[in-house]
Amino acid sequence: MELQLQYYLLLAAALFCIGIYGLITSRNAIRVLMSIELLLNAVNLNLMAFSNYLDEAAKGQVFSVFVITIAAAEAAVGLAIVLAIYRNRDTIDMERFNLLKW
Amino acid sequence: MNLAEGVQFVSFGILAATTIAAALGVVLLENIVYSAFLLGGVFISIAGMYLLLNADFVAAAQVLVYVGAINVLILFAIMLVNKTEVFQPMKNAWFRKGATALVCVGLFALLATMVRSTSWAVLDSVAPIESTAIRLGEHFFSDFLLPFELASVLLLISMIGAIVLARREFVPEETDAQREVVFRLPERPREPVGAIGESSSASENS
């Protein structure tokens, strides 16, 4: 009974599915961004598990560091966009962000 | 099972349970401030997972960047968008949620069967890397040099973009009358010093 690769992959899959559920169903724009962070963390967990069990060169850790970097940039720009939309429309309801719908 | 494996297994179980519970809380709770703090819990438990996977540097980076930067940024955004908004109910909201939940459970079942049925070519002897920071530095400055530099440029671009997007463009014009009103402090009208002395001495005498 040893820790196996499959456990980590199953946990990452569960986290990814929870993130997708939150991404689609939540109406608060900030909660959508939090769900995206959950998705990125699930992918990171996958990369780290593969790096530990299948690779000796630790390239998966390099990839996950890049993913963390991109996630920081994405969070900053996404929250700035949410703030700008909130100033324009005075709401954070995703259902009312329909400027591009015709 | 010796002691080390048992400790690893128990800590994996605790971390997995915490991660899943906190992630469900992030998605399902009504109050968004609770969601933000639970998101920090998810990040910390995933950092613990990284420690179990022999990656100390990335665990530290996870705590620093995710918990220290992104989570605080999200909390700041929640405070700036400080609006308790009652969302208008939609038609067929239950249908949307049900269909999404069905799709997510189906996706999880698909991934789980894939994970279980694939025979992974796991290395026989998992030798942990001695110093992951040194190994990562070698990778960054030899074969991942271009992505590393591109990531730094991307961070600069996103910082400038965030400032430009979030800056308030509209500066309200102020007239002279407003400026006078603004710069006057709300305080009592001053009395001359001599008058105060006279009045106080008068009150003492009487």
Side-chain angles (χ1 to χ4, degrees):
Chain A
M1 190 127 160
E2 195 180 348
L3 273 186
Q4 290 171 352
L5 175 62
Q6 281 89 345
Y7 299 156
Y8 290 101
L9 296 186
L10 284 177
L11 177 68
L15 202 59
F16 194 83
C17 292
I18 292 172
I20 284 186
Y21 179 79
L23 183 68
I24 295 178
T25 60
S26 61
R27 298 180 65 183
N28 195 332
I30 298 176
R31 202 189 295 269
V32 171
L33 284 172
M34 292 201 274
S35 302
I36 294 175
E37 300 297 331
L38 283 184
L39 294 182
L40 289 169
N41 266 289
V43 174
N44 258 344
L45 192 59
N46 255 346
L47 287 173
M48 301 291 284
F50 284 136
S51 160
N52 190 31
Y53 284 97
L54 303 180
D55 183 24
E56 285 178 344
K59 284 188 181 173
Q61 299 189 17
V62 179
F63 270 82
S64 65
V65 168
F66 283 130
V67 172
I68 288 174
T69 312
I70 306 297
E74 174 262 340
V77 176
L79 289 173
I81 289 174
V82 168
L83 214 59
I85 293 179
Y86 173 66
R87 290 212 192 102
N88 256 336
R89 309 276 293 183
D90 199 31
T91 181
I92 46 172
D93 189 357
M94 292 297 280
E95 297 295 327
R96 291 173 61 193
F97 292 166
N98 49 8
L99 285 169
L100 292 181
K101 197 158 79 175
W102 57 284
Chain B
M1 186 187 336
N2 55 14
L3 182 62
E5 286 180 359
V7 168
Q8 281 188 6
F9 203 80
V10 169
S11 47
F12 176 80
I14 292 173
L15 286 174
T18 324
T19 307
I20 295 296
L24 282 175
V26 168
V27 172
L28 296 178
L29 279 184
E30 286 293 321
N31 194 342
I32 193 150
V33 182
Y34 294 164
S35 295
F37 280 108
L38 281 176
L39 190 69
V42 174
F43 292 155
I44 288 179
S45 34
I46 285 184
M49 291 280 174
Y50 292 167
L51 285 182
L52 276 180
L53 286 169
N54 303 316
D56 46 358
F57 179 78
V58 185
Q62 165 95 5
V63 172
L64 281 177
V65 175
Y66 269 112
V67 184
I70 293 181
N71 207 3
V72 173
L73 195 66
I74 286 174
L75 279 172
F76 264 104
I78 290 171
M79 281 194 293
L80 285 176
V81 190
N82 188 9
K83 186 169 188 178
T84 56
E85 186 175 4
V86 179
F87 296 133
Q88 294 172 356
M90 288 185 304
K91 295 183 295 184
N92 297 329
W94 61 272
F95 177 71
R96 288 193 190 192
K97 290 195 175 182
T100 312
L102 199 66
V103 168
C104 289
V105 170
L107 180 64
F108 177 70
L110 179 70
L111 287 173
T113 45
M114 185 272 295
V115 165
R116 291 186 62 82
S117 64
T118 309
S119 61
W120 302 100
V122 177
L123 298 176
D124 293 331
S125 64
V126 182
I129 302 167
E130 282 296 319
S131 171
T132 55
I134 293 175
R135 185 68 69 87
L136 282 180
E138 288 172 2
H139 276 303
F140 278 142
F141 287 102
S142 58
D143 48 351
F144 287 97
L145 184 61
L146 181 64
F148 185 67
E149 300 294 337
L150 281 182
S152 59
V153 174
L154 178 83
L155 277 180
L156 179 66
I157 291 172
S158 71
M159 186 178 72
I160 296 172
I163 291 172
V164 170
L165 278 175
R167 194 182 52 185
R168 214 179 270 276
E169 293 176 7
F170 172 71
V171 178
E173 296 180 8
E174 52 184 357
T175 57
D176 290 341
Q178 277 177 341
R179 187 172 299 161
E180 268 186 25
V181 171
V182 166
F183 285 134
R184 182 181 297 157
L185 285 177
E187 60 182 1
R188 278 191 312 176
R190 287 184 196 159
E191 300 173 16
V193 182
I196 296 176
E198 285 176 6
S199 64
S200 62
S201 62
S203 61
E204 280 173 7
N205 290 336
S206 67

